[in-house]
Amino acid sequence: MINQVYRLISPKQIRIDFVDEQYDEGYVIVRPHYLSICAADQRYYTGNRPKEVLNKKLPMALIHEAVGEVVFDPKNEFSVGDKVVLIPNTPIEESIRKENYLRSSKFRASGFDGFMQTYVSMRRDRIIKFTNIDMKVATLLELISVSMNAVKTFDEKSLEEKNTFGVWGSGNLGFIVSLILKKKFPDSKVIVFGVRQEKLSYFSFVDEVYTVDNIPDDLTIDHAFECVGGSRSEDAVNQIIDHINPQGTIALMGVSESNVNINTRMILEKGILLIGNSRSSYQDFKDSVDFLQEHSDVVEYLNNIISDIKVVKNVNDVHQAFEADLVNEFKTIMKWEV
Amino acid sequence: MTFAVILAGGKGTRMGNSEMPKQFLLLGDKPIMIHTIEQFLLNQQIDKIIVCSPKEWIPYTNDILKKYLFNNDKVSVTQGGSTRNETILNGCMHIREKFGASSEHIIITHDAVRPFITQRIINENIEALKKYEVCDTVIGAIDTIIVSKDGEKIDEIPDRNFMFQGQTPQSFGLEAFIDNYNSLTDKEKEILTDACKIFIMKGKEVGCVKGDESNIKITNLYDLKIANAIVERNILND
């Protein structure tokens, strides 16, 4: 069937390519309905990546956060109309290592086409059916699964004492990580650190919030999640190192294009455990779907970080959505009606 | 119910010397018509698809539907007519015969040789029929339109801002089309080649749905070459 793939051919230039999709029993055809824009997509869209990376990866359809509806399953394991979340990580080998860390795994909108297509052919182990979750909120499932991966890994590897968590970053990732921590560790305190008080005010469910220029000197945390990334990661990580208790765990989640200078001497002195986190697996998605189905209040909180829903019917609408996203506080979702 | 009526009644008189009607020629590794039908098959709002083929090509049509389509249950074939509007009428009568007459039935008529139809256009046609009795898919005129009655000298150059090119789908109520078409005289039937023009002549309001420049009609070998050039083949390798 002829499919339209909306590809970024160079920064801020989108072209519709026509692809003749083949049917295969290993694949299910999904019509995406809601797509969520991520900072990673923006880096490609605005050209904020090294030139050699752009030359290598483009042209490519963006977006790795999406939910949709099944329109055709050759094996009829899924029914037409089933609501599904689309898993962007695509492993091609079995390993004892987690699929999202395998160097061989492919990832949507990073080396192969993302979900900005009229239809997406999904390998059947790359979609999970869900019910009773608002589709718009379900669009955040990828980000939830990334957070779930980080929290689960942290829980497996960290010191038993978990009285106080610090979350650095008051954006989408910090918000979702904080929500998960509050639910998974109900007896623990969660403190969020951010740059702007206006954004911190959204974190009504945590115990305390501080702007990063106003942290009490004697404040300590047992463990921390760094959800900052970019040029501010260095300050965030070093601030965490200053305030974390000995043998605490720092879960690193923010992506930075340049190397980040950190106080390794203090890491040694305090015996701090650093864990790198990236992307997520099928199981993380499954756990995230269960998490949303179990906690209806989480769904309501997540509604508050959907800053904008843009109806997209053509390329111009895509541009408007990306441009709007650059100034939105939290998430911009595209209602995909191409 | 919502029906797609695929107009595959052409016999390939414009496609060079080919005897194969153009809707059956290959685009990639499938006939053009199959690509077109697939877009309607994938649309959950379309209940049934009626393909109108020339009588002598009906068995061929049934063969390729069986060979290429992932799901045949929604699709049936009927005979086309000697004109475009007669083909639509035949499609409508087929629907009446199989599914009964109803003022609730709407039909989305579409050229079999426009395989680049998008879901947006299909959905907007269906949506437009909630507001208008009839709608047509159009794009703004790309070139300046001139009027010449003899083909040699220009009589008029209308304002391009008000000029549009008609594509398909053209959509309307089943009973509305049958009634309006049957009320035409033989002379009127001869000159009214466009379905929407019938409704305009009868004083009905026809809505516009925004088409797309990519929704091309494959009418000659050049169009087919372009279509084959722009379609990539997806190799499933993930």
Side-chain angles (χ1 to χ4, degrees):
Chain A
M1 120 227 129
I2 294 178
N3 190 20
Q4 290 92 29
V5 183
Y6 286 63
R7 289 189 177 133
L8 187 73
I9 54 171
S10 61
K12 302 200 177 183
Q13 301 279 324
I14 293 175
R15 180 184 71 206
I16 302 175
D17 286 344
F18 295 88
V19 177
D20 188 4
E21 302 285 352
Q22 309 303 307
Y23 301 115
D24 184 289
E25 286 208 331
Y27 291 78
V28 176
I29 308 226
V30 177
R31 169 91 165 125
H33 282 316
Y34 291 93
L35 313 182
S36 169
I37 300 175
C38 171
D41 300 310
Q42 285 288 16
R43 282 194 286 274
Y44 283 108
Y45 181 78
T46 56
N48 199 9
R49 290 219 67 192
K51 200 169 171 197
E52 54 274 15
V53 171
L54 293 173
N55 287 340
K56 187 178 168 194
K57 303 224 177 175
L58 302 184
M60 179 183 73
L62 299 178
I63 304 290
H64 56 268
E65 303 176 23
V67 292
E69 198 174 292
V70 170
V71 294
F72 176 57
D73 178 359
K75 286 174 87 167
N76 292 315
E77 287 174 357
F78 291 90
S79 303
V80 171
D82 278 349
K83 306 272 190 286
V84 293
V85 58
L86 286 65
I87 299 173
N89 193 60
T90 311
I92 58 171
E93 59 173 305
E94 296 280 334
S95 173
I96 55 161
R97 293 177 169 80
K98 255 189 116 171
E99 61 173 72
N100 41 310
Y101 298 118
L102 291 173
R103 304 305 281 173
S104 57
S105 291
K106 295 167 81 164
F107 193 83
R108 293 277 180 180
S110 176
F112 83 118
D113 284 327
F115 299 134
M116 275 175 51
Q117 310 183 35
T118 302
Y119 295 104
V120 188
S121 267
M122 294 295 289
R123 213 169 71 191
R124 56 180 60 253
D125 66 337
R126 297 291 104 191
I127 54 175
I128 296 177
K129 181 180 162 178
F130 63 86
T131 53
N132 301 324
I133 302 175
D134 180 328
M135 282 287 262
K136 297 184 288 299
V137 171
T139 318
L140 304 181
L141 273 165
E142 198 272 341
L143 207 48
I144 298 169
S145 70
V146 167
S147 308
M148 194 64 76
N149 167 60
V151 171
K152 277 158 47 182
T153 307
F154 154 80
D155 198 20
E156 282 164 24
K157 299 192 184 307
S158 59
L159 202 63
E160 195 53 43
E161 189 171 82
K162 294 176 174 67
N163 298 323
T164 314
F165 291 104
V167 176
W168 264 256
S170 56
N172 301 309
L173 191 60
F175 191 92
I176 293 173
V177 165
S178 302
L179 266 176
I180 295 175
L181 288 173
K182 280 309 289 182
K183 288 297 180 186
K184 287 215 171 286
F185 305 100
D187 298 327
S188 305
K189 210 165 146 180
V190 175
I191 307 175
V192 178
F193 304 87
V195 172
R196 289 172 48 224
Q197 188 59 48
E198 297 83 10
K199 281 185 94 167
L200 287 167
S201 64
Y202 280 82
F203 290 72
S204 56
F205 52 90
V206 303
D207 299 278
E208 290 168 27
V209 298
Y210 292 95
T211 53
V212 292
D213 57 354
N214 205 23
I215 305 173
D217 290 338
D218 60 349
L219 186 149
T220 58
I221 50 176
D222 294 318
H223 307 283
F225 286 76
E226 176 270 321
C227 306
V228 175
S231 55
R232 292 199 172 124
S233 346
E234 189 167 303
D235 289 344
V237 174
N238 285 318
Q239 210 169 51
I240 293 171
I241 292 169
D242 287 344
H243 290 276
I244 199 166
N245 283 330
Q247 292 192 278
T249 296
I250 305 176
L252 296 171
M253 300 183 73
V255 175
S256 173
E257 285 291 348
S258 355
N259 290 337
V260 175
N261 291 321
I262 56 176
N263 184 354
T264 54
R265 186 192 180 102
M266 196 51 68
I267 292 175
L268 271 55
E269 279 190 31
K270 285 189 178 180
I272 292 168
L273 178 65
L274 286 179
I275 305 179
N277 296 281
S278 177
R279 299 176 176 171
S280 55
S281 65
Y282 179 94
Q283 190 57 49
D284 296 322
F285 268 89
K286 192 93 185 43
D287 293 341
S288 301
V289 169
D290 293 342
F291 180 71
L292 286 190
Q293 285 177 330
E294 194 185 321
H295 300 289
S296 58
D297 57 334
V298 166
V299 173
E300 295 310 324
Y301 283 124
L302 289 170
N303 252 314
N304 295 338
I305 62 164
I306 297 174
S307 294
D308 205 353
I309 300 174
K310 292 282 191 210
V311 174
V312 172
K313 297 191 178 210
N314 51 51
V315 169
N316 278 341
D317 291 343
V318 174
H319 286 302
Q320 285 192 28
F322 272 81
E323 296 293 338
D325 181 65
L326 287 171
V327 297
N328 283 338
E329 291 278 47
F330 290 103
K331 273 293 192 185
T332 308
I333 287 178
M334 295 190 279
K335 188 166 190 272
W336 198 239
E337 293 185 0
V338 298
Chain B
M1 289 175 78
T2 303
F3 299 88
V5 175
I6 306 299
L7 307 177
K11 291 184 187 171
T13 49
R14 274 183 278 181
M15 190 69 96
N17 286 325
S18 169
E19 289 184 14
M20 176 77 77
K22 52 193 181 248
Q23 56 269 27
F24 301 133
L25 293 177
L26 294 182
L27 172 56
D29 55 6
K30 276 188 277 205
I32 295 169
M33 184 172 82
I34 296 295
H35 288 287
T36 306
I37 293 170
E38 279 174 335
Q39 294 304 324
F40 289 91
L41 262 183
L42 287 166
N43 190 299
Q44 304 313 308
Q45 295 194 86
I46 302 288
D47 297 304
K48 297 288 178 192
I49 300 166
I50 316 300
V51 180
C52 302
S53 264
K55 181 168 183 271
E56 56 273 34
W57 289 96
I58 288 179
Y60 184 91
T61 302
N62 280 318
D63 287 342
I64 62 169
L65 290 177
K66 194 171 165 191
K67 181 176 177 186
Y68 289 104
L69 285 187
F70 55 82
N71 178 2
N72 262 334
D73 299 344
K74 275 189 181 183
V75 189
S76 59
V77 183
T78 192
Q79 185 177 332
S82 55
T83 65
R84 185 189 176 79
N85 282 330
E86 218 181 85
T87 299
I88 297 175
L89 182 73
N90 286 359
C92 290
M93 300 312 289
H94 175 86
I95 292 169
R96 248 194 192 172
E97 190 188 306
K98 285 208 160 259
F99 304 100
S102 169
S103 58
E104 303 291 316
H105 289 335
I106 61 172
I107 64 171
I108 316 293
T109 71
H110 185 65
D111 292 329
V113 290
R114 287 186 194 265
F116 296 101
I117 175 92
T118 66
Q119 293 305 308
R120 174 192 65 77
I121 293 172
I122 296 172
N123 291 333
E124 285 186 358
N125 264 263
I126 295 170
E127 192 60 32
L129 289 184
K130 293 177 185 166
K131 189 177 171 191
Y132 298 98
E133 210 179 323
V134 187
C135 64
D136 197 4
T137 304
V138 301
I139 55 170
I142 298 157
D143 297 319
T144 301
I145 305 292
I146 63 109
V147 178
S148 170
K149 296 201 167 84
D150 60 9
E152 288 193 4
K153 58 183 189 319
I154 296 175
D155 295 301
E156 193 190 339
I157 305 181
D159 186 341
R160 205 177 81 168
N161 289 323
F162 301 124
M163 295 293 112
F164 293 81
Q165 288 166 227
Q167 298 184 331
T168 63
Q170 296 181 312
S171 308
F172 23 79
L174 173 85
E175 300 301 328
F177 181 83
I178 295 173
D179 293 342
N180 281 285
Y181 183 78
N182 284 339
S183 72
L184 297 173
T185 63
D186 287 342
K187 184 120 172 92
E188 284 171 335
K189 282 179 186 171
E190 230 176 280
I191 54 173
L192 288 171
T193 52
D194 183 85
C196 287
K197 198 161 175 184
I198 298 174
F199 290 95
I200 295 278
M201 240 200 58
K202 297 286 179 182
K204 309 287 183 193
E205 212 173 44
V206 178
C208 294
V209 169
K210 195 163 184 293
D212 199 282
E213 284 168 30
S214 62
N215 184 22
I216 62 171
K217 188 175 184 183
I218 302 175
T219 59
N220 54 44
L221 289 169
Y222 175 76
D223 298 332
L224 182 58
K225 184 159 183 171
I226 295 212
N228 271 305
I230 63 178
V231 174
E232 296 169 28
R233 187 183 166 87
N234 185 23
I235 301 158
L236 294 167
N237 60 1
D238 58 354

